[in-house]
């Protein structure tokens, strides 16, 4: 595909990320491709995704250099501009990133010659009973270990009034939307609605709605299920609820999940992909649902999600399972499947490497 301009999102605190950014700039200079650094927190301020991609000259490919957190920032920008996003893995977990730092140049060559897959990932968006705002007294708390905060999401102008419920916010989440307590000694009390029907009222540390992509992030840490990123659905997970029912619920993509702060609850923070974006008071609510747009992630081949899950989560086999036999064989997804598993519908190996889809 034709790449006219690349936007770089770099984890400036890692020397290897800064070095890899230099490789990207060299490649761009060699191929007459524009290149701009974005989302760099200049002068201690964060900007909206629209402001950031506009200042970068509307890139058609976002390259992130860091870990999954850096990729999430790049995904926010790519979704705003309907651009491709390529993640270079320089983090510790690496569920979202695609290539190692040593493969940056070959990855860019593959994009240019259309030897890639474009993986479509589900995103979340929101409506709310009011505009999200962050109280001024909270900024000092945010600066401790979190860096300059993003601005509250703006209202979508074309949806500010009309017959639809709530206020439509111009925001997308690749991982999750989280409602969490602000006071350490007080939980939030939240009524949870699925597809317009009350599921239950929760008292908990937090409640979150995740995409299949985000199922291996905060939701997983809270005991939620692992969901294939190719699946469609909204994963609701309570965090430390004071009730017997503490299970996750997976809703269909067309079943919005609404969270209403109850009268006797304290204030609740709303975080989107790990970034605090507003505070809700008793009586306020948000609705989380599948976004109409999708993230377009660059893949250099079929994604071995379950192999990555085994590796990243350091999964080990149960001793009892191996006591009377040998370990189950492992094989790459790009090789022919074993004969005894030939009946399974495994992902097909790409023809001659990779293709644009």
């Amino acid at each position: 595909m034709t790449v006219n301009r690349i936007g770089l999102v770099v984890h400036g605190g890692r020397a290897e990320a800064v070095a890899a950014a230099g490789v990207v700039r060299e490649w761009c200079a060699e191929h007459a491709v524009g290149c701009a650094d974005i989302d760099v927190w200049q002068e201690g301020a964060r900007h909206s995704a629209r402001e950031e991609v506009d200042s970068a000259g509307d890139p058609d490919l976002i390259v992130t250099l860091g870990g999954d957190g850096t990729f999430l920032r790049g995904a926010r920008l790519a979704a705003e501009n309907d651009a491709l996003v390529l993640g270079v893995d320089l983090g510790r977990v690496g569920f979202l990133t695609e290539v190692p730092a040593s493969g940056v140049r070959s990855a860019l060559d593959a994009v240019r010659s259309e030897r890639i897959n474009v993986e479509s990932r589900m995103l979340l968006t929101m409506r709310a009973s009011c505009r999200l705002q962050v109280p001024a007294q909270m900024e000092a708390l945010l600066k401790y270990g979190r860096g300059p905060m993003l601005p509250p999401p703006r209202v979508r102008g074309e949806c500010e009034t009309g017959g639809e419920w709530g206020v439509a916010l111009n925001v997308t989440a690749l991982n999750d939307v989280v409602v969490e307590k602000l006071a350490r000694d007080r939980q939030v009390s939240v009524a949870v609605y699925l597809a317009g029907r009350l599921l239950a009222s929760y008292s908990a540390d937090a409640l979150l709605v995740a995409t299949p992509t985000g199922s291996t992030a905060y939701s997983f840490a809270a005991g939620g299920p692992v969901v294939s990123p190719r699946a469609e659905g909204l994963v609701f997970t309570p965090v430390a609820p004071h009730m017997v029912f503490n299970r996750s619920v997976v809703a269909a993509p067309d079943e919005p999940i609404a969270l209403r702060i109850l009268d006797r609850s304290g204030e609740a923070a709303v975080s989107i992909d790990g970034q605090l974006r507003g505070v809700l008071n008793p009586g306020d609510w948000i609705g989380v649902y599948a976004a109409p747009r999708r993230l377009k992630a660059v893949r250099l081949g079929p994604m071995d999600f379950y192999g990555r899950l085994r590796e990243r989560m350091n999964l080990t086999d149960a001793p009892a399972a191996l006591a009377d036999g040998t370990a189950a064989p492992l094989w790459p997804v790009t090789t022919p499947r074993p004969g005894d598993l030939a009946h399974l519908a495994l992902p097909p190996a790409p023809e001659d490497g990779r293709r644009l889809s």
Side-chain angles (χ1 to χ4, degrees):
M1 64 174 293
T2 302
V3 177
N4 296 313
R5 192 165 185 81
I6 289 177
L8 279 177
V9 180
V10 184
H11 191 307
R14 293 183 179 171
E16 61 269 34
V18 175
V23 175
V24 176
R25 296 188 189 98
E26 291 174 2
W27 185 93
C28 289
E30 293 170 7
H31 296 86
V33 173
C35 185
D37 286 85
I38 53 180
D39 195 23
V40 293
W41 299 354
Q42 291 181 352
E43 299 177 354
R46 295 293 301 277
H47 306 283
S48 70
R50 184 71 266 161
E51 291 170 334
E52 288 172 348
V53 296
D54 284 348
S55 65
D58 290 327
D60 39 34
L61 173 66
I62 304 291
V63 177
T64 72
L65 302 158
D68 282 354
T70 307
F71 185 89
L72 286 173
R73 294 200 293 273
R76 180 174 63 90
L77 304 172
E80 178 69 25
N81 216 42
D82 196 32
L84 297 176
V85 59
L86 171 67
V88 178
D89 184 13
L90 295 162
R92 294 183 294 271
V93 179
F95 261 107
L96 300 175
T97 48
E98 172 68 2
V99 299
S102 59
V104 170
R105 181 175 287 274
S106 60
L108 293 173
D109 288 339
V111 173
R112 189 165 182 264
S113 59
E114 300 187 357
R115 293 180 290 110
I116 62 172
N117 296 316
V118 177
E119 184 179 72
S120 177
R121 291 281 183 107
M122 179 180 172
L123 298 167
L124 299 176
T125 191
M126 294 171 50
R127 287 181 177 268
S129 59
C130 58
R131 296 170 183 261
L132 289 184
Q133 299 291 340
V134 178
Q137 65 268 24
M138 290 190 62
E139 292 193 22
L141 296 175
L142 292 172
K143 290 179 180 179
Y144 181 75
R146 300 187 70 161
M149 69 177 181
L150 284 164
R154 60 184 173 85
V155 174
R156 294 182 65 89
E158 71 275 17
C159 302
E160 191 166 358
T161 59
E164 301 235 23
W165 50 278
V167 178
L169 301 179
N170 188 44
V171 66
T172 56
L174 176 60
N175 266 358
D176 48 43
V177 174
V178 179
V179 171
E180 56 190 322
K181 67 180 184 180
L182 282 177
R184 185 175 183 182
D185 60 347
R186 187 173 185 179
Q187 293 192 313
V188 289
S189 297
V190 181
V192 178
Y193 297 81
L194 272 75
R197 300 301 297 271
L198 177 65
L199 174 68
S201 294
Y202 288 78
S203 178
D205 284 356
L207 303 107
L208 63 94
V209 181
T211 63
T213 296
S215 71
T216 51
Y218 190 4
S219 178
F220 176 83
V226 174
V227 182
S228 167
R230 300 176 60 193
E232 299 286 315
L234 284 71
V235 183
F236 163 73
T237 301
V239 181
H242 276 208
M243 58 191 299
V244 173
F245 185 74
N246 61 356
R247 300 290 190 252
S248 297
V249 177
V250 182
D254 60 353
E255 295 176 335
I257 298 177
L259 308 173
R260 184 183 186 277
I261 310 303
L262 298 179
D263 293 340
R264 294 185 179 276
S265 174
E267 290 181 318
V270 179
S271 296
I272 301 167
D273 280 348
Q275 293 282 345
L276 179 63
R277 304 296 294 275
V279 172
L280 299 177
N281 293 297
D284 294 338
W285 56 262
I286 61 170
V288 183
Y289 57 101
R293 69 182 70 177
R294 300 178 69 87
L295 183 71
K296 299 191 295 187
V298 173
R299 298 297 179 196
L300 303 184
M303 182 180 180
D304 183 13
F305 171 72
Y306 300 106
R308 186 170 295 186
L309 176 68
R310 179 182 175 89
E311 175 188 351
R312 297 295 194 267
M313 297 300 182
N314 196 26
L315 301 184
T316 57
D317 302 315
L322 306 179
D324 298 321
T326 58
L330 300 175
W331 73 95
V333 297
T334 54
T335 61
R337 69 192 71 169
D340 58 340
L341 296 180
H343 62 288
L344 295 181
L346 299 178
E351 298 176 8
D352 189 26
R354 300 107 189 166
R355 290 191 298 181
L356 181 69
S357 60

